[in-house]
Amino acid sequence: MSLPILILPSILSANLACLQEEVDAVAPFVDGIQADVMDGHFVKNLTFGAPVLACLKTTLPVDVHLMVTNPADRVAEFLAAHAAHITFHAEAVAGTRERKELIAAIRKGGATAGIALNPETPVSAIEDVVGDVDLVLVMSVHPGFSNQAFLPEVLEKVRALRSRFPALTIQMDGGIDAMTAKASREAGADSLVSASFIFTASDRQAAVSSLRA
């Protein structure tokens, strides 16, 4: 069965000096916007916080990917900035009770909740909550920087998740272009995050279309 594919450009590769214009330019042909939030600790890079998103005017759902060491301390500010979805990392929140409390807090704030897996983290690491989340994000690069090469070995995790959880939203992020998008879709991913492939394209609409093809 062919799944509807959601395409979310990551503003990590957008021109932040004119972020509103960048988002407006892709809004007609994408399904949401992803904001990669990095704290300089969980990953080496440092990006933007909730005040940037709070200033963004868009009718698109904003998907916040928290690459931070303390996601439970950051959820409230992103909910206040109108996040529609928040994903935290399995590696940052190890305890089952803490994970379930965080998922509940995200949902109570009106957003959907997801959990992310770094390339080296197996699916077994989220067995305790995979049935509780709305989305699993399978990282296809090591998190922290845009424009990295796709790691094809992570596709096996997508296949395993899709086989066991046919209704689960499975998102892939990292090195997503027309070729890797096809491999990701065939493995069972139904939500694709792409940064530089979209925002550096001379024809962004065509770039997005190629991710769905």
Side-chain angles (χ1 to χ4, degrees):
M1 181 178 66
S2 179
L3 295 167
I5 302 299
L6 302 176
I7 304 297
L8 292 84
S10 167
I11 59 173
L12 183 62
S13 289
N15 183 345
L16 296 182
C18 51
L19 181 58
Q20 185 67 57
E21 291 85 350
E22 291 277 78
V23 170
D24 291 344
V26 297
F29 37 87
V30 300
D31 303 293
I33 295 292
Q34 192 183 73
D36 289 310
V37 177
M38 308 180 194
D39 63 358
H41 298 281
F42 182 74
V43 295
K44 292 181 179 179
N45 201 3
L46 182 66
T47 57
F48 35 77
V52 172
L53 299 184
C55 293
L56 195 62
K57 295 178 174 61
T58 181
T59 59
L60 291 170
V62 176
D63 177 323
V64 174
H65 177 192
L66 292 178
M67 287 176 266
V68 301
T69 56
N70 56 340
D73 295 341
R74 305 295 301 277
V75 162
E77 63 189 280
F78 286 99
L79 290 170
H82 314 299
H85 173 86
I86 298 177
T87 292
F88 64 92
H89 268 261
E91 302 83 8
V93 186
T96 298
R97 180 176 61 84
E98 291 80 2
R99 288 176 175 182
K100 288 181 178 289
E101 288 176 352
L102 184 50
I103 292 164
I106 293 169
R107 291 233 179 91
K108 184 177 180 181
T112 52
I115 192 164
L117 296 169
N118 281 345
E120 65 276 10
T121 305
V123 170
S124 60
I126 58 169
E127 290 283 355
D128 56 341
V129 294
V130 68
D132 300 321
V133 294
D134 302 286
L135 176 152
V136 172
L137 167 54
V138 177
M139 291 298 299
S140 41
V141 298
H142 295 286
F145 294 90
S146 186
N147 205 27
Q148 296 186 64
F150 183 88
L151 299 171
E153 59 267 26
V154 303
L155 292 171
E156 189 53 43
K157 288 194 279 191
V158 178
R159 296 185 188 100
L161 285 164
R162 181 56 65 211
S163 174
R164 292 182 56 197
F165 304 98
L168 178 68
T169 297
I170 303 174
Q171 187 175 81
M172 294 204 74
D173 183 359
I176 298 295
D177 58 22
M179 184 177 298
T180 58
K182 183 175 187 294
S184 300
R185 296 194 318 268
E186 290 175 347
D190 56 348
S191 177
L192 303 177
V193 177
S194 184
S196 57
F197 181 73
I198 293 176
F199 280 111
T200 65
S202 57
D203 186 337
R204 292 174 175 177
Q205 184 171 5
V208 170
S209 294
S210 75
L211 299 177
R212 303 187 196 272

